[in-house]
Amino acid sequence: MITLAVDCMGGDHGPRVTLAACRQFLDSHSDAQLLLVGRAESLQSFAHPRATVVGASEVVGMDDPVEVALRKKKDSSMRVAIQQVKDGIAQAAVSAGNTGALMAVSRYLLKTLEGIDRPAIATQMPNEKGGATTVLDLGANVDCTPEHLLQFAVMGTALVSALNESASGGEPSVGLLNIGEEAIKGNETIKRAGELLRAAGEAKALNFYGNVEGNDIYKGPVDIVVCDGFVGNVALKASEGVASMIVGGLKSEFKRNIFTKFAAIMAYPVLSALMKRMDHRRYNGAALLGLRGLVFKSHGSADAIAFEHALNRAYDAARNNLLDRVRARIATAAPLLVPAVAAPAAGTTGSPE
Amino acid sequence: MITLAVDCMGGDHGPRVTLAACRQFLDSHSDAQLLLVGRAESLQSFAHPRATVVGASEVVGMDDPVEVALRKKKDSSMRVAIQQVKDGIAQAAVSAGNTGALMAVSRYLLKTLEGIDRPAIATQMPNEKGGATTVLDLGANVDCTPEHLLQFAVMGTALVSALNESASGGEPSVGLLNIGEEAIKGNETIKRAGELLRAAGEAKALNFYGNVEGNDIYKGPVDIVVCDGFVGNVALKASEGVASMIVGGLKSEFKRNIFTKFAAIMAYPVLSALMKRMDHRRYNGAALLGLRGLVFKSHGSADAIAFEHALNRAYDAARNNLLDRVRARIATAAPLLVPAVAAPAAGTTGSPE
């Protein structure tokens, strides 16, 4: 039996969305049970033999500063859900609450795994090959060192292996996000990260493909794209911006007049097939990697279908022992990770080659 | 009379595309003349009273390393075109050659303006408001300091003012690209850059809006988005990747069967109106800013329509005295730029606040 702790109060919509998703999830997973964490009065109407309400009197707001979530709201649904993982009662926690708070509380309660300096946020993006590219970090870390990027590669490999998402079927491939064609290819951090990843590849600790560029996230030559959290966050949001501009543009063009409205009716099945294929809800559920426990983050604006996907991902990760796999990967890569971390910091301002 | 020097050999297609674009450009600009730079035998068939062939025996290849362009191919069409600007014969140069080489040769021949440490590449992206957002830097610089970002803001303001592209009609607004909602908003460089930009805004040296996120490039709350070249390059390429995935997806869905092909015919006028609105060719022509001369970079894969847009942009910039405007802006901002640059470097590894 897999047990997930669900922060039912988090996200833009709270129990209205999370409970609907929990119902769907329970119906399709007969070997799962849920701990519904939140205010009892909001959750007690939910009756299911495999669901238990766990009371938590506070809610971390979407705009609450990290300090409030960490130091003030000690009985928040977010925190209590993560506590279930720490106490070994649940195998994973899922929350649609604010990212900064979720990362901080998870890190505070669960601590990072040995060999990992900083946890990372990993998510999936659909790619042209019809599969998904896993990208990390998405904003948990800014100013990453080359060693951090190597750790991300190791954790990302464990994630994709656990969720069986390598497009090739073999060892998942890792690309280092870089810039092309320009005079100086990458900064000093990226150059050094490339060396570390190449060494890890040669030592068979991971399957390093080489450098990739921003568009490769969507082209899909690799299973995993590793990058600094600042860069990853900007890339993800820029992508969302373009997609929403195109979709918005399509809608407004189709609404222009009676003829275009008729065209819209004709084109509807085609457009909806495309939207389904690229539906971002199918990719909801980012993993917080590098912690001594599994935590998944849903988009704050997730609807019930999207939140259910986040639950599914947490369930798959728990079922496939993601945590053990990450630990095993780190152990394998330890000879590479440890000296690298112990060596004098190859900072971002290193001397030119 | 405005004179542009055109590297006719650069880009993926060379004279076939560049000459066709030059013809169109001359037909629509009666007060312009062109210096067609390249191999005489490739260009001599082009006859126009306002076009003159300037011989150059070599061509910088799209894959040539910067050193080759700089040190070996001293009679390249790219270099000779930029030399025309240096010698005061042309007001601006346009090339579709490789970015790294173009930046290096431009910088070597023209030198940077006083007060500017590093030139930047600025381009326009279409936004939801039906206008364009100017983004810089796009990859000329990695590891930017806060002072560099301030310089980019000053140069970007001059560019948008010169090309009269402020959506609001007033002083163009500047946003600093950052990440939101997460625990640590931005790295030390971005925090410090935010302080410098705020000070510049208070001193009326520019119109600083505040932080923006990746999706704001396409939402359009500001005229100018300032970022490190690594981040800008990744954001731009990720955006291209998403757009091409969506367009590719649309095409394949419409080709699926006889019904969807019929739907495509019905939807064609709508889709082509959308494509026209978002046509990236309309935004071709990136400015290399911060040099003592005007240089514009066309996409290497540009067709004649796209290349003509790059010529148009160079013409507009020359006609509107972009160079003088950049100089004047830098002079206004000098009190802010100079002490900042002279101060001990606020590097990317600064102490926490």
Side-chain angles (χ1 to χ4, degrees):
Chain A
M1 187 67 81
I2 302 288
T3 307
L4 304 181
V6 184
D7 167 10
C8 290
M9 312 304 288
D12 299 343
H13 311 296
R16 184 169 60 76
V17 155
T18 56
L19 291 183
C22 286
R23 169 86 52 202
Q24 282 294 327
F25 172 81
L26 285 167
D27 286 350
S28 58
H29 293 81
S30 58
D31 66 339
Q33 58 185 17
L34 296 180
L35 304 176
L36 311 175
V37 186
R39 292 193 179 119
E41 65 272 25
S42 304
L43 307 177
Q44 63 197 6
S45 65
F46 191 95
H48 192 286
R50 287 181 277 114
T52 316
V53 171
V54 176
S57 60
E58 291 171 302
V59 176
V60 173
M62 293 307 273
D63 295 326
D64 273 350
V66 168
E67 304 77 53
V68 169
L70 260 183
R71 304 207 185 102
K72 300 235 166 105
K73 296 185 172 174
K74 294 198 177 173
D75 194 36
S76 72
S77 55
M78 180 189 281
R79 182 162 179 159
V80 173
I82 298 165
Q83 187 69 42
Q84 306 305 307
V85 176
K86 182 176 168 69
D87 294 346
I89 302 168
Q91 280 99 336
V94 181
S95 174
N98 95 58
T99 314
L102 185 65
M103 180 53 93
V105 173
S106 300
R107 200 171 168 172
Y108 176 75
L109 288 182
L110 299 173
K111 315 298 176 201
T112 51
L113 287 166
E114 205 169 326
I116 297 298
D117 297 326
R118 301 189 189 179
I121 302 173
T123 198
Q124 290 191 307
M125 306 299 292
N127 65 36
E128 280 174 12
K129 294 187 170 169
T133 307
T134 296
V135 185
L136 73 163
D137 174 48
L138 268 313
N141 307 281
V142 292
D143 289 331
C144 290
T145 66
E147 289 75 20
H148 295 139
L149 293 169
L150 174 59
Q151 293 171 18
F152 297 168
V154 170
M155 295 193 290
T157 299
L159 177 67
V160 174
S161 304
L163 300 182
N164 198 16
E165 285 153 350
S166 166
S168 57
E171 176 84 346
S173 55
V174 177
L176 176 63
L177 191 57
N178 202 343
I179 63 176
E181 84 167 301
E182 282 68 24
I184 315 149
K185 287 193 184 166
N187 51 32
E188 293 305 316
T189 305
I190 293 294
K191 284 179 191 166
R192 175 81 186 120
E195 290 165 15
L196 292 180
L197 287 164
R198 208 158 291 119
E202 281 161 13
K204 309 279 179 211
L206 47 81
N207 176 10
F208 183 53
Y209 169 91
N211 288 330
V212 294
E213 295 190 56
N215 50 341
D216 289 321
I217 295 171
Y218 303 98
K219 272 192 179 170
V222 291
D223 298 307
I224 300 153
V225 171
V226 169
C227 58
D228 175 277
F230 191 94
V231 175
N233 186 284
V234 168
L236 181 76
K237 289 198 173 141
S239 302
E240 287 174 0
V242 170
S244 112
M245 179 173 72
I246 296 176
V247 171
L250 265 178
K251 282 184 185 162
S252 79
E253 290 294 342
F254 273 120
K255 278 185 190 155
R256 197 174 284 274
N257 59 44
I258 183 88
F259 301 106
T260 60
K261 280 179 187 162
F262 178 68
I265 295 167
M266 298 302 299
Y268 180 78
V270 176
L271 296 176
S272 78
L274 178 70
M275 290 301 148
K276 199 169 170 188
R277 233 173 74 190
M278 296 186 184
D279 190 348
H280 60 87
R281 295 181 301 185
R282 283 175 55 198
Y283 302 94
N284 189 39
L288 272 53
L289 292 172
L291 301 162
R292 296 170 195 261
L294 297 179
V295 180
F296 281 78
K297 152 82 184 137
S298 159
H299 210 290
S301 65
D303 64 10
I305 292 172
F307 196 77
E308 189 193 344
H309 274 281
L311 293 174
N312 291 344
R313 282 182 68 74
Y315 168 88
D316 289 342
R319 198 175 167 73
N320 296 320
N321 299 311
L322 174 58
L323 202 57
D324 291 342
R325 286 173 187 253
V326 173
R327 277 207 184 91
R329 285 274 169 186
I330 295 168
T332 311
L336 295 155
L337 290 172
V338 178
V341 174
T348 53
T349 49
S351 57
E353 292 185 318
Chain B
M1 187 68 81
I2 302 288
T3 307
L4 304 181
V6 185
D7 167 8
C8 290
M9 312 304 289
D12 298 343
H13 311 297
R16 185 168 60 77
V17 155
T18 56
L19 291 183
C22 285
R23 169 86 53 199
Q24 282 294 327
F25 172 80
L26 286 168
D27 286 351
S28 58
H29 294 80
S30 57
D31 65 339
Q33 57 186 17
L34 297 179
L35 304 176
L36 311 176
V37 186
R39 293 193 177 118
E41 65 272 24
S42 303
L43 307 177
Q44 62 198 7
S45 66
F46 191 96
H48 194 285
R50 286 181 278 113
T52 315
V53 172
V54 176
S57 61
E58 292 171 301
V59 176
V60 174
M62 293 309 271
D63 295 327
D64 273 349
V66 169
E67 303 77 53
V68 170
L70 260 183
R71 302 207 187 102
K72 300 237 166 105
K73 296 187 172 173
K74 295 198 175 170
D75 194 38
S76 73
S77 56
M78 180 189 280
R79 182 162 177 161
V80 172
I82 298 164
Q83 187 69 42
Q84 306 305 306
V85 176
K86 183 176 167 70
D87 294 344
I89 303 168
Q91 279 100 334
V94 181
S95 175
N98 95 57
T99 314
L102 185 65
M103 181 53 94
V105 174
S106 300
R107 199 171 169 173
Y108 176 75
L109 288 182
L110 300 174
K111 315 296 178 203
T112 50
L113 287 166
E114 204 168 327
I116 298 298
D117 297 327
R118 301 189 191 180
I121 301 174
T123 198
Q124 290 191 308
M125 306 299 293
N127 66 36
E128 281 175 11
K129 293 186 172 170
T133 306
T134 296
V135 185
L136 74 165
D137 174 48
L138 268 312
N141 307 282
V142 291
D143 288 333
C144 290
T145 66
E147 290 76 18
H148 294 140
L149 294 170
L150 174 58
Q151 293 171 18
F152 297 168
V154 170
M155 296 192 290
T157 299
L159 177 67
V160 175
S161 304
L163 300 183
N164 199 16
E165 284 153 351
S166 165
S168 56
E171 175 83 346
S173 54
V174 176
L176 175 64
L177 191 58
N178 201 344
I179 63 176
E181 84 169 298
E182 282 69 24
I184 314 150
K185 288 195 183 166
N187 51 32
E188 293 305 316
T189 305
I190 294 295
K191 284 179 192 167
R192 175 79 187 122
E195 289 164 16
L196 292 180
L197 287 164
R198 207 158 292 117
E202 282 161 11
K204 310 278 182 213
L206 49 81
N207 176 10
F208 183 52
Y209 170 91
N211 289 329
V212 294
E213 295 190 57
N215 50 341
D216 288 321
I217 295 172
Y218 304 98
K219 272 193 179 170
V222 292
D223 298 306
I224 300 153
V225 171
V226 169
C227 58
D228 176 277
F230 190 95
V231 175
N233 187 285
V234 168
L236 181 76
K237 290 199 173 140
S239 302
E240 286 174 359
V242 171
S244 109
M245 179 174 71
I246 296 176
V247 171
L250 265 178
K251 282 183 184 161
S252 79
E253 289 295 341
F254 273 121
K255 278 185 189 157
R256 197 174 283 273
N257 59 43
I258 184 87
F259 301 105
T260 60
K261 280 178 187 164
F262 178 69
I265 295 167
M266 297 302 298
Y268 180 78
V270 175
L271 296 176
S272 78
L274 178 69
M275 290 302 147
K276 199 169 168 186
R277 233 172 75 191
M278 296 186 184
D279 189 347
H280 60 87
R281 295 181 300 184
R282 282 175 55 198
Y283 302 94
N284 189 39
L288 271 53
L289 292 172
L291 300 163
R292 297 171 194 259
L294 297 179
V295 180
F296 281 79
K297 152 82 185 139
S298 159
H299 210 290
S301 66
D303 64 9
I305 292 171
F307 196 77
E308 190 193 343
H309 274 281
L311 293 174
N312 291 344
R313 282 181 70 73
Y315 168 89
D316 289 343
R319 198 176 167 72
N320 296 320
N321 299 312
L322 173 58
L323 202 57
D324 291 343
R325 285 173 188 254
V326 173
R327 276 208 184 92
R329 284 273 168 186
I330 295 169
T332 311
L336 295 155
L337 290 172
V338 178
V341 174
T348 53
T349 51
S351 57
E353 291 184 318

